[in-house]
Every structure is written in structure tokens, then in C-alpha cells.
């Protein structure tokens, strides 16, 4: 016999889970040629931020580039910084989902011109003591 008043929380309701954790859903799509980027070198040059120069050993074929995309430890072995790795992996994920590089590429953030403590320093001049 089941008494609904004895339930401790709503988390025990018999509702189906909406999260899918199958390996098919979580699997990364492989990189391949498109009309905008027929070669791996073209993809890396479209991504920008010197990705074509930093990943030259992997730009020979799509298989080698997929090896970097599927096993991300190789990016660390190349010697890329964390920000560079994150950007390249983000760009690869967008490209593998079918987006054209021209639609999602962002320029890097410019460096700060004035470092200071808010309104104390304006345009590099100390305003308040």
C-alpha cells in the first residue's frame, strides 16, 4: 500500500528523467571538410589566434586534427596555454556541430589600457589622494 502523504520530497516522484547520458549523445562529432574550410590548414587559419602556427604538426590531415579534438591531452603536450586550449576546443566544438567559422569567430579581448582602483585613477592620472 502506498501513501502519498509519506513522501519526503518531490525528488522521489515517479517522473521520467529528461537528461540523457548515453554515450551516443555525449560523443563528439568528428571534424571534416566543408565548403568554407576544405582543408585542416584552412580551418586553423579561420579560427585565428595563431592556431595554424601552433598546431602545424596536426594540420596535415583531418585524421590528425581529429586526434587532437578527440584526445585533448595532446593540446597540453604541444604547450598551449589554458586560454588558447579552451578557445581552440570551443571553436572545434562549434565547427563539429555544423557552424561555419565565419559565424562564430571572435577577436581576442584587448588588453587593459589603464590599471587602477576605479574612480581614484582616470586616464592614468590620480584624481583622489
Amino acid at each position: 500500500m502506498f501513501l502519498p502523504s509519506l513522501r519526503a520530497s518531490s525528488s522521489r516522484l515517479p517522473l521520467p528523467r529528461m537528461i540523457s547520458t548515453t554515450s551516443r549523445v555525449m560523443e563528439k562529432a568528428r571534424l571534416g571538410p566543408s565548403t568554407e574550410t576544405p582543408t585542416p590548414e584552412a580551418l586553423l587559419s579561420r579560427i585565428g589566434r595563431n592556431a595554424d602556427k601552433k598546431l602545424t604538426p596536426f594540420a596535415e590531415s583531418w585524421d590528425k586534427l581529429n586526434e587532437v579534438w578527440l584526445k585533448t591531452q595532446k593540446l597540453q603536450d604541444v604547450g598551449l596555454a589554458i586560454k588558447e586550449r579552451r578557445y581552440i576546443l570551443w571553436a572545434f566544438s562549434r565547427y563539429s556541430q555544423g557552424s561555419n567559422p565565419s559565424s562564430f569567430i571572435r577577436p581576442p579581448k584587448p588588453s587593459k589600457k589603464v590599471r587602477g582602483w576605479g574612480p581614484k585613477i582616470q586616464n592614468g592620472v590620480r584624481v583622489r589622494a
Side-chain angles (χ1 to χ4, degrees):
M1 183 172 153
F2 176 71
L3 296 174
S5 62
L6 295 178
R7 285 197 176 158
S9 69
S10 62
S11 65
R12 296 182 186 177
L13 290 174
L15 297 174
R17 291 184 64 190
M18 300 304 289
I19 300 171
S20 177
T21 57
T22 61
S23 61
R24 178 96 172 129
V25 172
M26 299 179 82
E27 187 176 304
K28 292 181 178 180
R30 296 180 64 81
L31 303 174
S34 70
T35 56
E36 194 172 314
T37 55
T39 62
E41 296 91 5
L43 174 64
L44 292 175
S45 64
R46 297 285 294 195
I47 286 175
R49 300 194 189 184
N50 293 328
D52 52 345
K53 294 175 184 166
K54 294 171 184 170
L55 297 176
T56 50
F58 302 106
E60 298 170 5
S61 68
W62 287 107
D63 292 331
K64 287 191 177 186
L65 199 60
N66 278 317
E67 191 176 311
V68 171
W69 164 231
L70 298 174
K71 298 175 184 172
T72 57
Q73 181 66 30
K74 297 199 177 208
L75 285 175
Q76 191 172 4
D77 296 340
V78 171
L80 294 175
I82 293 172
K83 278 187 176 182
E84 295 168 338
R85 279 184 278 168
R86 284 183 181 167
Y87 178 75
I88 289 172
L89 291 175
W90 171 80
F92 283 173
S93 70
R94 292 292 304 261
Y95 182 74
S96 69
Q97 293 169 3
S99 299
N100 286 330
S102 60
S103 66
F104 64 82
I105 295 303
R106 304 178 196 162
K109 288 183 180 178
S111 60
K112 290 182 174 180
K113 292 187 173 80
V114 176
R115 293 183 174 92
W117 295 93
K120 277 193 210 174
I121 297 175
Q122 295 176 3
N123 300 323
V125 178
R126 182 175 292 276
V127 178
R128 297 183 198 152

